Amino acid sequence: APEHYGLLFGINILLMMVLTSLNARWVKRLGFHRTTRWGLYQQALGATLLLVISQWDTAPLAAVLVGCALYISVLSVIGSGLLTGILQVSDAHSGSAAALTGATRFGAGAVAGIVVSAMHSENHAAMCLVMAICGLAALAVYEFKGIKKHSP
């Protein structure tokens, strides 16, 4: 129900804060490649659940929430890891690389929002499908064309 959206939004933000704090500890021990990869695999798990959910006419709200939570909670883990990797290889152009990274994130989000809107879905299906495609594509790109290891 719409009156619960604030609570649901707050839970997602709380999960992001917890995982960001844990990432700050883990990245020192494991390195940004491993934590970024872990984040992408968790996001892919959420994306896979959302892909399955997108095929249901009436998915339980709890299933949508779990898929979204798995997906969204690691956004800062992934974003900080990827930015670290990009900054390591961009040398003198690190300011431009950081700006391009931010613009790409917002641009991709805008395009995804337009696609969801254009699909004219009366339920959760379009959102779940677009989130699934984006999450699985992110993992695929990282695994096949990701930042090469330049760190220990």
Side-chain angles (χ1 to χ4, degrees), residues 79 82-83 86-87 94-110:
L82 293 176
L83 184 57
I86 290 168
L87 293 177
S94 58
S96 298
L100 183 60
T101 301
T104 301
R105 276 190 220 164
F106 284 104

Side-chain angles (χ1 to χ4, degrees), residues 49 53 59-68:
L49 179 57
I53 291 168
L61 180 59
V64 176
L65 294 176
V66 168
C68 286

Side-chain angles (χ1 to χ4, degrees), residues 23 25-37 81 84 151-152:
N23 184 52
R25 294 181 189 154
W26 294 338
V27 76
K28 292 174 187 171
R29 190 168 23 125
L30 303 173
F32 77 90
H33 283 289
R34 288 179 69 187
T35 56
T36 302
R37 205 162 175 253
T84 299
S151 63

Side-chain angles (χ1 to χ4, degrees), residues 20-148:
T20 299
S21 295
L22 292 173
N23 184 52
R25 294 181 189 154
W26 294 338
V27 76
K28 292 174 187 171
R29 190 168 23 125
L30 303 173
F32 77 90
H33 283 289
R34 288 179 69 187
T35 56
T36 302
R37 205 162 175 253
W38 168 81
L40 285 164
Y41 273 93
Q42 179 180 318
Q43 186 177 55
L45 177 65
T48 302
L49 179 57
L50 291 169
L51 182 61
V52 170
I53 291 168
S54 74
Q55 303 307 305
W56 297 347
D57 286 333
T58 55
L61 180 59
V64 176
L65 294 176
V66 168
C68 286
L70 285 169
Y71 190 101
I72 293 169
S73 64
V74 291
L75 289 177
S76 60
V77 172
I78 296 166
S80 62
L82 293 176
L83 184 57
T84 299
I86 290 168
L87 293 177
Q88 280 192 348
V89 298
S90 60
D91 297 328
H93 305 289
S94 58
S96 298
L100 183 60
T101 301
T104 301
R105 276 190 220 164
F106 284 104
V111 169
I114 291 167
V115 171
V116 169
S117 179
M119 292 174 75
H120 302 294
S121 177
E122 295 295 323
N123 58 18
H124 60 277
M127 178 196 74
C128 290
L129 181 61
V130 171
M131 286 178 71
I133 290 168
C134 291
L136 294 171
L139 177 61
V141 168
Y142 186 80
E143 287 295 347
F144 297 112
K145 295 287 184 183
I147 300 164
K148 302 301 178 216

